[in-house]
Amino acid sequence: MTIKYENECLYFGDINIAELGKDHNTPFYLYSENLILQNLDRYLNQLKTIDSLICYSVKSNSNLSILSIFAKKGCGFDIVSGGELQRVILAKGNTNKVVFSGVGKTNEEIKFALESKILCFNVESFGELNRINQVASDLSTTANVSIRVNPEIDAKTHPYITTGLSENKFGVAQDDVLEIFLQAKKLSNIKITGIDYHIGSQITEIQPFTDAATKVSSVIAELRKNNILLNHVDIGGGLGINYSENVTVDCKPLVDSVVKIFENSNLKIIIEPGRSLVGNTGIIVTKVIDVKRNTNGKKFLIVDAGMNDLIRPPLYNAFHNIKEARIINRKKEKFDVVGPICETADFLGKDRDLATDSNELLVIEDVGAYGFVLASNYNSRPKIPEYIISSGLVKCIRARELFDDMIADEKKYL
Ligand code: LLP
């Protein structure tokens, strides 16, 4: 994250946050286009000599303007719903570069994806394979499919975001993989194009990725023996990011080691990164509403952003750095930074050393991925706006939700 103090003021890129807060009501998300492009360039450079496709994982941040940045750079997209496909189309993404993941694709979504001529479905089960064949047959077309293998690897990440264990709902168990490919081969409206896997998110070690790749490469060899030939292998999401320190995580070790494992298979490599492309490119700017010091010594900073705006801390016990927008003449104290929501789970950070006061601004770092997309209207709080720094200017890419818009779908039944 390029966030730094200059003359006692916090700057995100060239933007002085305290100054920005004077004419932009808090709380709000603020992204940096430059940082997104830098992260993408690192992947593109790493993959430039390899037959490959980067499919940005739309779920990590699906704002249309963000999708359009990836679309303009020729990226593909990893989607998990018809809604995400509609977003990709609106952002002028190329549907021929879309892979459709997820365990619960409905027949309507499958139909829409076939009509949109996506690159392939990442198939999660026998039932889904048969439904895709049926919908494709109804449309007199052929569906390209990749089978998602569950490599049964412990990704050593938070249990809620690990996906490659046998107890997880994702992918086809290794014992069933040959069988599902053989079945797919027999279906007249299915064309097998690839194999894919995804073992989880926020994985910070390379080993689980290489273990999974090694397992999948032996599956590919077995398929070949059975005369099942593929065009691509899709290696799932990217590396985790470093939430505690101001360092950019390099995709090189992941790409190098995994590509090496598949080198001899002669397959196109697809990768579906989300967090490592956008995670460190966004902040939330929030205002201190009150400073509460209890007689028992416990201290709270009550801010105007809450768990409905950023749910990662309570949901995954996730850590996000919090910084003061200005250095003021006060000594640091240990605070829990909490929102206005009526839940004890409504915290953004605990035991943080901060020197601040009411009406001062704070910045929550690294919220570009799985931030706004997980926001809700809990406690009847309208969703907060999203801005992006682009060509040195702060541009609005999503207006603050209005109370009237928030209740419009209910009001008509009153
Ligand atoms: N591909 C598939 C099939 C996925 O399920 C995911 C993320 C990705 C790619 C992108 O993974 P990434 O490169 O971002 O690690 N809300 C959680 C993260 C959920 C991740 C779900 N799947 C969080 O805030 O940590």
Side-chain angles (χ1 to χ4, degrees), residues 125-289:
S125 64
F126 285 87
E128 184 181 274
L129 176 69
N130 288 320
R131 284 191 302 110
I132 293 174
N133 182 56
Q134 186 56 53
V135 178
S137 157
D138 294 347
L139 292 175
S140 309
T141 187
T142 303
N144 293 335
V145 303
S146 154
I147 303 293
R148 175 167 177 178
V149 184
N150 183 331
E152 288 152 39
I153 293 282
D154 184 358
K156 299 191 178 72
T157 182
H158 191 280
Y160 290 179
I161 51 175
T162 193
T163 53
L165 289 172
S166 55
E167 71 233 42
N168 298 141
K169 66 179 174 179
F170 300 98
V172 175
Q174 286 198 79
D175 288 348
D176 298 329
V177 169
L178 181 58
E179 181 56 32
I180 194 169
F181 269 104
L182 289 171
Q183 237 190 68
K185 211 175 161 185
K186 285 190 214 140
L187 296 172
S188 47
N189 295 79
I190 294 289
K191 181 172 180 235
I192 299 169
T193 58
I195 189 165
D196 65 286
Y197 62 96
H198 172 78
I199 54 172
S201 193
Q202 188 48 20
I203 305 167
T204 47
E205 290 169 28
I206 299 295
Q207 191 68 37
F209 285 105
T210 51
D211 288 350
T214 308
K215 280 195 174 182
V216 172
S217 78
S218 63
V219 173
I220 294 170
E222 197 189 346
L223 292 174
R224 200 168 278 158
K225 277 190 213 141
N226 285 273
N227 224 0
I228 297 170
L229 304 177
L230 309 173
N231 302 337
H232 76 256
V233 53
D234 175 344
I235 67 172
L239 260 180
I241 62 170
N242 192 330
Y243 282 99
S244 53
E245 284 161 42
N246 207 342
V247 290
T248 313
V249 175
D250 193 358
C251 58
K252 186 173 166 34
L254 168 68
V255 172
D256 280 357
S257 52
V258 172
V259 163
K260 207 164 180 194
I261 292 168
F262 292 115
E263 214 163 41
N264 297 326
S265 66
N266 265 332
L267 298 178
K268 183 189 191 97
I269 306 267
I270 295 180
I271 183 164
E272 309 168 350
R275 193 189 310 263
S276 47
L277 287 173
V278 292
N280 69 344
T281 71
I283 59 174
I284 290 176
V285 179
T286 182
K287 186 186 280 180
V288 179
I289 300 174

Side-chain angles (χ1 to χ4, degrees), residues 27-31 56 58-64 66 87 278-279 282-284 306-312 320 366-377 381-387 397-401:
F28 58 84
Y29 276 85
L30 176 64
Y31 308 111
Y56 168 63
V58 173
K59 67 175 84 66
S60 60
N61 188 326
S62 56
N63 184 291
L64 293 177
I66 304 269
R87 282 181 177 272
V278 292
I283 59 174
I284 290 176
M307 67 189 279
N308 70 304
D309 304 308
L310 179 73
I311 203 171
R312 299 197 72 255
H320 288 265
D366 303 316
V367 296
Y370 309 111
F372 185 88
V373 280
L374 280 157
S376 77
N377 288 123
R381 290 164 53 84
K383 289 194 185 153
I384 65 179
E386 293 175 285
Y387 299 100
I397 55 171
R398 188 187 208 278
R400 188 179 299 280
E401 191 175 23

Side-chain angles (χ1 to χ4, degrees), residues 113-133:
L114 283 170
E115 286 165 350
S116 306
K117 303 202 181 328
I118 65 163
L119 181 63
C120 77
F121 293 90
N122 288 347
V123 173
E124 301 259 2
S125 64
F126 285 87
E128 184 181 274
L129 176 69
N130 288 320
R131 284 191 302 110
I132 293 174
N133 182 56

